[in-house]
Amino acid sequence: MRHKRWISLGLLLLWQGSAWWSLRSLAMPWGLWVALASGLFFGGIILLVWSIHYRRLKRTADYRVLEAHQQIESVRQEANKDPLTGLNSRRYMRERLDEALHVAIERNHLCAVLMMDLDFFKDINEALGHQLANQLLESVAVRLRSVVKKGDLLGYYGADEFIVLLPHIQDGMAAELVARRILASMAEPFAVNSHSLAVSASIGVSLGPVDGRDGETLIREADSALAQSKASGRRGYQFFTQSMNIQAAERLQIDQHLRGALGRGELSLVYQPIVATEGRSLKGMEALIRWNNPALGRVPPDVFIPIAEQIGVIGEIGHWVLTEACAQLKHWQSLYEVPMMMSINVSPRQFQDGSILAAVKSVLGQVLLNPNSLQLEVTEGLLVNASERVVGELNVLKDAGVHLALDDFGTGYSSLSYLRYLPFTVLKIDKTFINDIARRSQDEAMVGAMVRMGHSLEMTVVAEGVETAAQMHCLEALGVDSIQGYYFSQPLSPREFENRFLSRGRATGVALDASVWDRL
């Protein structure tokens, strides 16, 4: 402010001085104009010089402010990093946990805290010394970085304790899989100087907001679960709640048996008929997978399929289902003069990993099955953030003649935009809308709206889970095209299906045009 006052005063004095000088030296009527012009000229020069100087001063000041901000940010980041491991500090993890928990409560999802420490680290510290023990902690931090995925947070909590924050998960299985990955990563010995150290770890897991609605509570409960893990023999993980531990133990058991189930011949297919409403004629069948394990017994698909997706074996299982079902349909087509279509469920993972197109082309070519005889069912989970590649593959399959069905419609991420731009030809209404359709006018109205919408988009509408004659008559009146459910038959083995629905005489198969494979 002082500079501005002096500049204003200087400009005024210079202008007045120049005006006075001009008036004295020029006794002419236009002397006043000359005085004004000279004042403006000298004032302009002064302002120009000061403007250049002021810009310099401002640039210098801005640079110093920026430099100060950078230094503050650097100090803040340093404060948020542990100097030994380079991981996020204890304080930083606590702050992020509170934020993640707040978002989880608002958006109705889960977050998880995993507390991990090294088994018998105290013995290692005493035997090798503090310096080598610190080097081991640094090596552990490096290995954990390779395990924790982008978006999850990894921190050092002190002593031999590490913390992992999973800010957004759908269920406890996600936290369980991270715990398993961490434990598996610890199996490889650590090279510290000339020592090869075999190290194991124990992990405690808490889930928010189920186990607690504030960060301090979640960390305390994860520590409690960690202590329980150590008391149970170490080298493992425990959830805070007993029910989660029971579920985790069951999932682990299913995981171990499922990995070799296909090779041991424990998987099989059963077939449920799909019946056209008009004429009550057989339109096709849906292939449904079954798993019968000697130790676990019969495991329902809704139990083992999500685990197969999580552990990465769904692609192998899905390819086997596609091969078996298509080969079975081709066999029936060659024996019986009945037009049939095979409907097969496809996991979203098979589209996401890019394997589905090659699998369909390979299997159809191998068994010489017409693409028009195949229907692939996908759930709405595939449509969330569907990439351009996935949409492109769906279009390629449709162009080749494969039917595409949107399964369990109305139970997931339903959006009319999906039906508008994705190439589905069949809409399958979920059983939950069929159960009370004969008793509740609201359900009847909702199903009727779905049927009209499907037909307006030139889609075939199929109702799943039909069990009674009343449901059947109601759906028939609403204009549903096809029916599937226990009203006609439960899923049957190949022989049972053949005896009940197909034994009407034999016919030779029809030769196929090989050009259909060029479109896949």
Side-chain angles (χ1 to χ4, degrees):
M1 291 297 295
R2 233 176 349 178
H3 289 297
K4 291 182 179 179
R5 291 196 196 101
W6 282 109
I7 292 166
S8 301
L9 181 58
L11 290 174
L12 179 60
L13 290 175
L14 285 172
W15 183 83
Q16 288 178 341
S18 61
W20 176 79
W21 181 261
S22 299
L23 288 171
R24 282 190 57 189
S25 58
L26 296 173
M28 296 189 228
W30 38 268
L32 180 61
W33 296 105
V34 174
L36 290 172
S38 60
L40 290 173
F41 174 76
F42 287 114
I45 294 294
I46 293 171
L47 287 175
L48 178 62
V49 172
W50 174 250
S51 175
I52 295 171
H53 179 61
Y54 178 76
R55 284 199 192 98
R56 255 183 224 164
L57 290 176
K58 189 175 184 305
R59 277 199 302 268
T60 303
D62 289 344
Y63 175 77
R64 288 175 180 172
V65 170
L66 179 62
E67 191 176 43
H69 278 302
Q70 289 175 341
Q71 289 175 351
I72 293 171
E73 181 64 20
S74 177
V75 170
R76 190 184 70 82
Q77 290 180 356
E78 286 298 320
N80 289 332
K81 295 293 182 183
D82 171 65
L84 174 62
T85 62
L87 301 180
N88 292 312
S89 68
R90 178 174 184 157
R91 178 180 176 181
Y92 181 80
M93 293 298 291
R94 287 289 298 272
E95 292 173 353
R96 299 290 80 76
L97 172 58
D98 288 334
E99 292 175 1
L101 189 56
H102 178 72
V103 173
I105 293 171
E106 276 194 343
R107 301 184 182 179
N108 196 29
H109 61 71
L110 298 177
C111 63
V113 175
L114 286 74
M115 298 296 295
M116 183 204 90
D117 77 357
L118 303 178
D119 298 330
F120 307 109
F121 180 76
K122 182 179 179 182
D123 297 339
I124 296 173
N125 197 5
E126 291 177 354
L128 300 180
H130 187 65
Q131 184 176 356
L132 287 180
N134 282 347
Q135 291 181 22
L136 173 61
L137 292 176
E138 293 175 18
S139 299
V140 170
V142 171
R143 192 170 294 183
L144 287 176
R145 281 196 191 97
S146 66
V147 175
V148 175
K149 293 183 177 179
K150 184 179 180 182
D152 299 333
L153 290 175
L154 173 64
Y156 177 63
Y157 216 64
D160 62 333
E161 227 174 13
F162 296 82
I163 179 172
V164 179
L165 170 60
L166 310 179
H168 187 171
I169 58 175
Q170 295 301 325
D171 51 38
M173 189 189 304
E176 181 184 344
L177 291 173
V178 174
R180 287 195 216 168
R181 285 204 308 268
I182 291 174
L183 295 177
S185 71
M186 296 293 110
E188 188 72 21
F190 289 88
V192 180
N193 284 355
S194 59
H195 301 275
S196 179
L197 301 178
V199 176
S200 64
S202 299
I203 298 175
V205 184
S206 63
L207 301 177
V210 176
D211 296 331
R213 301 178 72 85
D214 62 86
E216 183 178 352
T217 300
L218 284 183
I219 290 175
R220 185 174 66 249
E221 292 174 346
D223 267 329
S224 176
L226 173 60
Q228 185 181 355
S229 176
K230 285 184 171 294
S232 301
R234 306 176 189 266
R235 297 176 181 267
Y237 58 91
Q238 290 281 340
F239 283 87
F240 174 71
T241 57
Q242 186 59 28
S243 61
M244 287 299 301
N245 285 324
I246 294 172
Q247 293 176 23
E250 291 174 350
R251 285 194 295 264
L252 180 60
Q253 191 178 27
I254 291 173
D255 179 339
Q256 299 303 312
H257 288 283
L258 185 58
R259 290 181 187 273
L262 193 57
R264 295 189 300 268
E266 297 173 3
L267 300 179
S268 61
L269 293 181
V270 292
Y271 301 90
Q272 186 172 42
I274 301 173
V275 179
T277 307
E278 185 177 352
R280 307 289 175 90
S281 60
L282 179 69
K283 186 174 182 179
M285 67 288 297
E286 180 179 354
L288 301 169
I289 191 169
R290 296 292 183 264
W291 179 27
N292 189 11
N293 179 264
L296 304 176
R298 295 184 181 274
V299 184
D302 59 349
V303 172
F304 73 82
I305 290 297
I307 296 176
E309 291 178 333
Q310 289 280 358
I311 65 178
V313 300
I314 192 64
E316 181 184 5
I317 293 175
H319 191 275
W320 175 82
V321 171
L322 184 65
T323 304
E324 287 291 309
C326 288
Q328 183 65 68
L329 179 61
K330 182 61 180 179
H331 172 70
W332 283 335
Q333 286 180 342
S334 65
L335 291 179
Y336 303 105
E337 197 174 340
V338 179
M340 291 177 286
M341 179 179 63
M342 180 67 73
S343 190
I344 300 172
N345 290 282
V346 179
S347 167
R349 292 289 179 93
Q350 293 174 265
F351 278 94
Q352 291 161 2
D353 65 17
S355 65
I356 188 63
L357 207 58
V360 170
K361 180 177 181 179
S362 171
V363 171
L364 292 183
Q366 177 183 340
V367 302
L368 294 180
L369 183 68
N370 194 308
N372 287 302
S373 298
L374 176 63
Q375 176 173 291
L376 300 180
E377 297 187 16
V378 297
T379 60
E380 293 171 323
L382 171 68
L383 310 179
V384 181
N385 299 322
S387 65
E388 291 184 6
R389 179 185 58 77
V390 170
V391 175
E393 290 181 352
L394 287 170
N395 280 296
V396 170
L397 288 167
K398 181 183 179 181
D399 292 342
V402 176
H403 301 278
L404 298 173
L406 181 58
D407 196 16
D408 300 335
F409 180 72
T411 61
Y413 304 91
S414 301
S415 171
L416 295 180
S417 62
Y418 297 150
L419 303 180
R420 186 171 43 124
Y421 73 87
L422 291 178
F424 292 105
T425 55
V426 179
L427 188 68
K428 299 194 75 172
I429 302 176
D430 187 72
K431 183 181 186 299
T432 54
F433 296 97
I434 307 302
N435 291 335
D436 297 324
I437 191 172
R439 297 190 299 268
R440 286 171 49 90
S441 59
Q442 296 94 332
D443 289 358
E444 183 180 0
M446 190 171 295
V447 171
M450 292 180 185
V451 173
R452 291 190 295 272
M453 179 184 63
H455 287 166
S456 67
L457 296 172
E458 299 182 351
M459 301 174 71
T460 300
V461 180
V462 181
E464 298 180 291
V466 181
E467 298 181 353
T468 67
Q471 292 172 345
M472 175 66 199
H473 293 315
C474 186
L475 292 167
E476 192 173 22
L478 290 174
V480 171
D481 300 296
S482 300
I483 301 295
Q484 183 178 345
Y486 279 26
Y487 177 70
F488 289 105
S489 174
Q490 63 182 347
L492 303 171
S493 69
R495 177 171 292 184
E496 291 171 333
F497 191 94
E498 186 174 347
N499 291 337
R500 183 167 178 180
F501 292 98
L502 299 177
S503 296
R504 301 178 182 177
R506 296 178 175 273
T508 58
V510 179
L512 297 177
D513 180 4
S515 65
V516 295
W517 319 123
D518 296 336
R519 288 176 288 172
L520 285 174

